[in-house]
């Protein structure tokens, strides 16, 4: 069976969707940062902003 390959030299945008709880876990664990992605609509941006603020507050306490 041939191994799957992808082009590491190409730079393009990939659109993904995460469940809210999984995204929150990735942010809380420091595995995904706000600079790594863009929200595609205002409700998503508000939700992610709340997640980021909560994660930052937990780190400061």
């Amino acid at each position: 069976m041939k191994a799957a390959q992808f082009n590491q030299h190409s730079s393009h945008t990939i659109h993904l969707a995460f469940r809210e709880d999984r995204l929150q876990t990735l942010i809380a664990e420091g595995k995904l940062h706000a600079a790594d992605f863009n929200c595609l609509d205002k409700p998503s941006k508000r939700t992610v902003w709340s997640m980021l603020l909560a994660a930052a507050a937990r780190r400061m306490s």
Side-chain angles (χ1 to χ4, degrees):
M1 180 186 265
K2 198 173 193 180
Q5 295 181 2
F6 62 95
N7 187 352
Q8 294 179 355
H9 304 289
S10 176
S11 178
H12 60 279
T13 301
I14 299 172
H15 300 272
L16 300 171
F18 289 93
R19 284 191 345 253
E20 185 174 334
D21 61 331
R22 184 63 183 139
L23 179 60
Q24 189 168 6
T25 300
L26 291 170
I27 291 170
E29 292 176 353
K31 295 179 180 177
L32 189 63
H33 304 276
D36 295 335
F37 60 91
N38 295 308
C39 294
L40 300 179
D41 58 48
K42 287 188 181 196
S44 296
K45 187 173 184 172
R46 283 192 292 268
T47 301
V48 170
W49 184 248
S50 294
M51 288 180 193
L52 294 168
L53 287 174
R58 281 191 298 276
R59 286 186 195 116
M60 293 181 78
S61 58

